[in-house]
Amino acid sequence: MPKTSSMGRGIMAVLAVGARHEAGHPGGTVADVALDLGKDRSQVSRNLRSGEQEGFLSRTSQRTYTLDWSVLTDAQLLTERRLHSDGGTALDTLARGTDEACFLGVLHGDSTVTIGESVPASSNLVGSWLGRPYPAYCSDAGQAVLWEASEAEVRTVFADVSFVRHGPNTPADVDDFLARREAARARGYTIVDEEAEPGLYSLAVPIRDFKGDVVAALQIVGIKERLEPRQQECAAALMAQGKWLEQRLGYQLQD
């Protein structure tokens, strides 16, 4: 069998420290990590020191190695850049394939805000939504960006919100919103049918990052009489692009 390279051993040591954090331990000593890996202590010590020198690990006064959280910060910044750049690619691909307006939205307080859009001239939608907030309880992205939030978290988001009617099917209250989200989860994507405004119909999926957190929603928005008859076709394209974007953000589906 091929030997593991020095780089590979170093990565294994860093991952072992990360696994200890995940298990609830405050990092680990050389002896701890060597035991976890079943490796020689002197070799593991060299690998951990290399990890520290490269900025992946920190060493405490108790001689415990911990993850240097600046690595996570850098990864988060890269994710945000990819959300915009690769999100733009996903939007353009989706808009070309469906001939409908496509948007990328994020949660901001109790509203959603559009951070990306691709709008074909044939979509019959006028104006840009970039940077504009809309109430999350009835927006095209609302259910999707709150896809994995607990019931308590959803109630906290909407604690001070009055469910003003924006369309004929606007949710009446937080319980109504939660029921619609549960139906969307079972379906695999959301359907917002004249909730935001009369005649408007949309589909959306959550977008997760490398941590498994929902960071955005990818949406198709259009005139109801045009988009509703093509729901399944557009939903399939939406989910395909959603999975592609999640892969670009480092998300890995857990078994």
Side-chain angles (χ1 to χ4, degrees):
M1 295 179 64
K3 293 183 178 180
T4 304
S5 67
S6 58
M7 179 180 292
R9 291 192 295 271
I11 292 173
M12 288 174 62
V14 171
L15 292 176
V17 174
R20 293 189 65 81
H21 281 298
E22 188 175 7
H25 302 297
T29 63
V30 171
D32 293 331
V33 177
L35 181 62
D36 291 344
L37 293 174
K39 302 292 185 181
D40 177 73
R41 286 181 58 175
S42 61
Q43 175 185 303
V44 170
S45 178
R46 289 193 297 273
N47 295 333
L48 291 171
R49 285 200 302 272
S50 295
E52 181 185 8
Q53 291 169 359
E54 295 298 327
F56 295 108
L57 299 173
S58 296
R59 194 180 186 207
T60 70
S61 57
Q62 289 77 38
R63 298 182 179 180
T64 298
Y65 284 92
T66 64
L67 290 178
D68 189 323
W69 298 110
S70 64
V71 175
L72 181 61
T73 301
D74 291 341
Q76 189 67 52
L77 291 173
L78 176 60
T79 296
E80 291 175 6
R81 288 197 292 270
R82 283 189 169 177
L83 183 59
H84 284 82
S85 61
D86 293 327
T89 301
L91 287 169
D92 288 343
T93 302
L94 190 59
R96 283 195 303 270
T98 62
D99 202 28
E100 297 288 354
C102 300
F103 301 88
L104 195 63
V106 298
L107 183 67
H108 184 73
D110 56 23
S111 299
T112 58
V113 176
T114 299
I115 63 169
E117 63 183 10
S118 184
V119 184
S122 59
S123 69
N124 297 323
L125 293 184
V126 180
S128 172
W129 273 95
L130 285 176
R132 295 169 60 185
Y134 205 83
Y137 66 84
C138 65
S139 77
D140 304 306
Q143 295 173 42
V145 293
L146 289 167
W147 189 267
E148 292 179 354
S150 67
E151 179 179 331
E153 289 170 335
V154 173
R155 292 185 182 279
T156 297
V157 168
F158 296 132
D160 300 319
V161 173
S162 297
F163 280 61
V164 177
R165 190 180 181 88
H166 289 266
N169 298 323
T170 299
D173 50 33
V174 67
D175 291 313
D176 193 3
F177 176 89
L178 286 166
R180 297 182 193 203
R181 189 189 64 164
E182 287 309 302
R185 284 170 160 178
R187 187 187 307 114
Y189 58 93
T190 72
I191 298 175
V192 176
D193 180 4
E194 296 190 289
E195 296 179 23
E197 62 180 83
L200 200 64
Y201 191 89
S202 66
L203 313 173
V205 291
I207 301 298
R208 302 169 183 82
D209 67 2
F210 67 97
K211 303 187 303 298
D213 296 336
V214 174
V215 293
L218 185 63
Q219 311 139 240
I220 300 176
V221 183
I223 305 304
K224 180 175 180 177
E225 63 182 18
R226 167 177 162 140
L227 182 54
E228 186 178 31
R230 304 168 57 225
Q231 173 194 322
Q232 293 186 350
E233 167 198 341
C234 290
L238 176 67
M239 290 189 287
Q241 284 304 310
K243 289 179 180 178
W244 178 85
L245 182 53
E246 286 186 329
Q247 290 175 350
R248 297 294 297 167
L249 299 182
Y251 175 66
Q252 294 183 343
L253 183 65
Q254 300 298 312
D255 295 331

